[in-house]
Amino acid sequence: MALDGLVLHAIVHELQMYVGGRINKIHQPSENDVVLQIRTQRQNVKLLLSANPTYPRVQTTEQVTMNPMDAPMFCMLLRKYCEGGVIEVVEQIGMERVIRLQIRHRDELGDISLKHIIVEIMGRHSNIILLDPVTGTILDGIHHVTPAISSYRVVMPGSTYVTPPEQDKQNPLEVDSAAFIQALERTSSSDEVSVSPSPIKPEQQLVAAFSGLSPLIAKEIVYRSMQGKTEVDTASLWQAFSEVMTAMREDRYEPVIVEQEPTGKLFFAMTPLTHIKGTSKLYPTPSLCLEQFYGDKAERDTVKQRVSDLLKFLQNEVNKNVKKLEKLQDTIEDSKDADKYRILGELLTASLHTIKKGDKEVQAINYYDEDQAMITITLDPLLGPAENAQRYFKKYSKLKNSTVIVEEQIAQTHQEITYLTTLLQQLSVASLPDIEEIRDELMEQGYVRDRNKKQRKKKKKDKPALACYESSEGVPIYVGKNNTQNEYLTNRLASSMDTWLHTKDIPGSHVVIRGEFSDTTLLEAAQLAAYFSQAKNSSQVPVDYTTIKHVHKPNGSKPGFVIYVNQKTVYVTPEEEEIKQLKVTIK
């Protein structure tokens, strides 16, 4: 894990400026994350504490999060004991991946009380724990650990807090050259290493000997020690190690993200990563570095877990409709022979005087043929001459009538595939609240059953939350990310003279520019329409735009479906970096 003890050391140093700040609000936007809104130095700062099993971290954040209507129990407990409290201490436990926040607040009786919020960054075992430091009792944890899961560390309300097991490693910020050499020697002679079939690498020695060092930083130290050398020697290794640790002790951090060539894989650290060949970008603070590195990865990861059942269902529905379409197309091909049966019926009618009941076939002149050639017509010997003619006319009528019905079914199936494909696209860019709106829509449309009907949420909101971007000129641009939002935005919120945008013939979001604007705002809105569409990763995406008064929803059409006229088209290539520069709020 790149988020090692050195990164947390930098984060804790950054957070010292918020010591003395007051916690105004506490939210829990997901089952793994807590956001503390802190008022400090005449500004509001959001501190993210994440126990995400894949992306655990602590950092300040500017990301907009949607919070559940009913706060989870852990969030309610944090509000009870910490909201309105003052942050007195932010510290790291040794060089381990554990951060402790000490909160001073007044209890129900008005007495001063202390609470600790402990964030343990331990991969899939990460946790956020609220602790009473006087008794050492756990008030609650964001993730419960029962005795059945771990007999050593139980994280349940009322249990005694036990620190994570010590790893018997030295603090790298507190060693001198003699202690450094001794630690490496002890690591080399350990039982675990002595039975190893191959000699231990220097970077493995560093990780085994010192706490808070990730393999990434260990490789960097070894790489620096080998400049101009063919092999590692202890003196050079200590020199490189000392340089990195001195910078950490003196709080001289250089937050950096490196994109490795040619793999495109990203790495981050609080010191330059010279051993990785690629493009580097420095950031002013550790939090900004983490924000850029993780971006929306954590949310996308959670979203993927939540929508896996919907994705599977929708993909199966698309596949079923594609097969249905193939069968309907085959029926259309068969119906192209309908006129042949009408002609046979008419030829039989003209030759009724030559046919007797019991005949199996008849030779007749084909008047529709230029050469007036003879044609053999098969008969049913059980039917009379007129009945045989009627049999061909009925077959013609049946095929002709079925063509009309099948063409209607083909049109409906095309609409169904378009609708389902649009939902798949919307799920690909959905946030956590968007998922519930899409799930509700599928229930309303009868695609899935509402299994929680009895415990269904309170009255449904008639105003969905919309993402409102601000163009570089300060013009509001609204984006609907699912059909519920699209319908509200286009049919209710937007005014008749507002400008409406949508990717041309490509599933995507409805985008509305409110008020007057220039070409700059138009291109930014078109970029948003292209980015939140199926053509997100394409170039020169066609985006149609027209005024709202030219956009209409046909009666009985699927949610989110509209038709529009008087449109113009602009071509844009969506750039994620440019879109991230736009200020966005949820309204």
Side-chain angles (χ1 to χ4, degrees):
M1 180 189 290
L3 203 153
D4 56 14
L6 297 183
V7 174
L8 281 191
H9 191 269
I11 288 288
V12 167
H13 175 261
E14 178 190 348
L15 297 184
Q16 296 310 306
M17 68 176 69
Y18 306 128
V19 171
R22 186 175 298 277
I23 300 174
N24 283 342
K25 294 179 182 177
I26 301 176
H27 295 292
Q28 188 179 338
S30 73
E31 60 189 0
N32 300 309
D33 302 333
V34 169
V35 176
L36 309 179
Q37 185 171 302
I38 303 166
R39 181 67 179 174
T40 179
Q41 300 177 9
R42 297 183 179 180
Q43 62 176 337
N44 290 323
V45 180
K46 289 191 292 185
L47 179 62
L48 170 66
L49 313 177
S50 178
N52 186 293
T54 312
Y55 308 108
R57 62 203 187 279
V58 175
Q59 61 168 93
T60 59
T61 180
E62 294 181 359
Q63 282 196 339
V64 178
T65 57
M66 291 294 292
N67 303 303
M69 292 182 66
D70 298 320
M73 286 300 298
F74 183 66
C75 180
M76 296 293 286
L77 202 66
L78 285 175
R79 288 175 179 177
K80 177 182 178 181
Y81 289 110
C82 300
E83 203 165 71
V86 174
I87 299 176
E88 289 197 330
V89 177
V90 179
E91 61 183 349
Q92 182 182 15
I93 310 303
M95 281 298 288
E96 298 299 333
R97 290 177 297 182
V98 178
I99 289 182
R100 178 167 59 210
L101 286 77
Q102 180 171 297
I103 315 295
R104 172 174 50 84
H105 76 112
R106 290 189 180 275
D107 59 21
E108 296 92 335
L109 300 176
D111 297 330
I112 297 295
S113 176
L114 294 179
K115 294 293 180 289
H116 286 175
I117 298 176
I118 297 175
V119 187
E120 300 176 344
I121 310 292
M122 301 186 298
R124 61 190 181 92
H125 301 295
S126 299
N127 214 334
I128 303 171
I129 298 169
L130 179 62
L131 180 69
D132 184 341
V134 177
T135 61
T137 303
I138 294 174
L139 298 174
D140 206 353
I142 200 167
H143 300 314
H144 288 174
V145 180
T146 64
I149 299 173
S150 171
S151 57
Y152 176 73
R153 294 188 76 227
V154 176
V155 180
M156 294 289 290
S159 58
T160 302
Y161 178 72
V162 178
T163 59
E166 295 184 5
Q167 297 180 324
D168 193 27
K169 296 181 181 181
Q170 292 204 43
N171 187 327
L173 302 182
E174 298 176 353
V175 296
D176 55 18
S177 60
F180 174 79
I181 295 170
Q182 187 179 8
L184 290 185
E185 289 175 348
R186 187 169 62 249
T187 304
S188 301
S189 60
S190 66
D191 294 337
E192 186 177 336
V193 174
S194 61
V195 297
S196 176
S198 57
I200 187 171
K201 295 179 180 179
E203 56 263 33
Q204 292 174 321
Q205 283 183 285
L206 290 172
V207 172
F210 301 101
S211 63
L213 292 193
S214 65
L216 180 71
I217 292 299
K219 286 180 183 177
E220 175 63 24
I221 292 171
V222 172
Y223 179 81
R224 293 186 190 184
S225 73
M226 290 185 64
Q227 298 304 305
K229 299 183 177 65
T230 56
E231 60 181 30
V232 181
D233 63 78
T234 305
S236 300
L237 192 61
W238 160 250
Q239 184 65 31
F241 179 89
S242 178
E243 287 176 2
V244 172
M245 297 309 146
T246 299
M248 296 296 120
R249 274 194 300 270
E250 296 175 357
D251 299 317
R252 291 185 286 109
Y253 307 107
E254 297 179 71
V256 64
I257 294 178
V258 182
E259 183 177 354
Q260 188 180 47
E261 296 176 355
T263 63
K265 190 174 180 181
L266 298 177
F267 300 87
F268 75 92
M270 297 298 112
T271 186
L273 297 174
T274 57
H275 74 284
I276 299 175
K277 305 305 176 187
T279 306
S280 297
K281 185 174 180 181
L282 287 169
Y283 293 86
T285 66
S287 284
L288 284 175
C289 181
L290 295 187
E291 184 99 312
Q292 181 62 35
F293 181 83
Y294 289 107
D296 58 355
K297 288 179 184 176
E299 184 179 11
R300 294 306 316 153
D301 189 60
T302 306
V303 166
K304 278 183 181 177
Q305 295 174 13
R306 298 272 184 93
V307 303
S308 59
D309 61 325
L310 290 183
L311 287 172
K312 187 176 179 181
F313 168 77
L314 289 172
Q315 195 58 61
N316 286 339
E317 288 295 305
V318 169
N319 294 338
K320 277 165 41 179
N321 278 279
V322 168
K323 290 178 181 177
K324 179 182 177 181
L325 194 59
E326 290 173 356
K327 291 180 179 178
L328 291 172
Q329 294 286 8
D330 290 340
T331 304
I332 287 290
E333 287 297 319
D334 293 340
S335 68
K336 289 179 180 178
D337 293 333
D339 281 341
K340 179 181 76 173
Y341 296 108
R342 177 183 58 80
I343 291 170
L344 292 176
E346 290 177 355
L347 293 178
L348 275 180
T349 302
S351 306
L352 287 178
H353 61 284
T354 65
I355 307 170
K356 299 192 298 291
K357 189 173 183 178
D359 289 345
K360 294 182 179 180
E361 59 181 35
V362 65
Q363 295 286 327
I365 298 172
N366 187 357
Y367 300 112
Y368 294 92
D369 183 54
E370 292 180 0
D371 301 327
Q372 303 286 293
M374 298 297 291
I375 184 172
T376 301
I377 303 174
T378 304
L379 302 173
D380 184 342
L382 300 177
L383 300 177
E387 291 171 324
N388 267 297
Q390 284 302 314
R391 185 168 68 96
Y392 279 106
F393 284 128
K394 285 179 181 177
K395 197 163 187 179
Y396 160 74
S397 297
K398 185 177 180 181
L399 285 174
K400 202 68 178 172
N401 292 334
S402 70
T403 301
V404 177
I405 296 171
V406 169
E407 285 176 347
E408 290 177 358
Q409 290 180 339
I410 286 175
Q412 291 172 359
T413 306
H414 275 299
Q415 289 179 6
E416 189 78 0
I417 291 173
T418 301
Y419 174 65
L420 296 169
T421 305
T422 300
L423 289 176
L424 283 170
Q425 178 272 324
Q426 291 170 356
L427 283 176
S428 70
V429 297
S431 62
L432 290 172
D434 298 334
I435 298 169
E436 294 310 311
E437 291 177 346
I438 293 172
R439 198 180 292 274
D440 288 342
E441 179 186 332
L442 287 169
M443 290 175 187
E444 290 170 4
Q445 294 296 311
Y447 287 92
V448 296
R449 286 187 303 166
D450 187 354
R451 295 183 180 176
N452 300 318
K453 199 170 185 179
K454 291 182 180 177
Q455 300 104 359
R456 203 61 186 143
K457 51 191 174 195
K458 304 155 190 177
K459 192 174 181 182
K460 189 179 174 183
K461 293 188 296 182
D462 61 341
K463 289 185 179 180
L466 292 171
C468 179
Y469 290 81
E470 188 177 299
S471 76
S472 53
E473 300 174 317
V475 179
I477 305 172
Y478 285 83
V479 178
K481 295 182 183 176
N482 57 50
N483 289 328
T484 302
Q485 296 176 16
N486 287 338
E487 296 234 322
Y488 175 75
L489 172 60
T490 301
N491 301 328
R492 294 177 60 186
L493 179 66
S495 303
S496 61
M497 294 309 295
D498 288 343
T499 300
W500 182 89
L501 301 93
H502 195 282
T503 42
K504 183 180 180 67
D505 300 326
I506 301 170
S509 294
H510 292 200
V511 176
V512 170
I513 307 173
R514 307 213 68 184
E516 297 180 359
F517 58 89
S518 71
D519 289 345
T520 301
T521 294
L522 177 64
L523 289 174
E524 289 172 349
Q527 278 229 24
L528 287 167
Y531 182 79
F532 292 106
S533 79
Q534 208 172 57
K536 175 180 179 179
N537 299 314
S538 303
S539 58
Q540 293 299 299
V541 180
V543 178
D544 287 342
Y545 65 97
T546 187
T547 52
I548 283 289
K549 67 181 181 181
H550 294 133
V551 182
H552 303 284
K553 179 178 174 62
N555 290 333
S557 60
K558 291 282 188 183
F561 181 79
V562 294
I563 55 176
Y564 55 92
V565 294
N566 294 353
Q567 73 271 21
K568 295 180 181 177
T569 306
V570 62
Y571 293 83
V572 294
T573 300
E575 297 289 346
E576 188 169 4
E577 285 299 318
E578 292 182 17
I579 288 169
K580 284 185 176 179
Q581 297 301 317
L582 299 177
K583 183 181 177 182
V584 58
T585 54
I586 303 297
K587 294 187 177 181

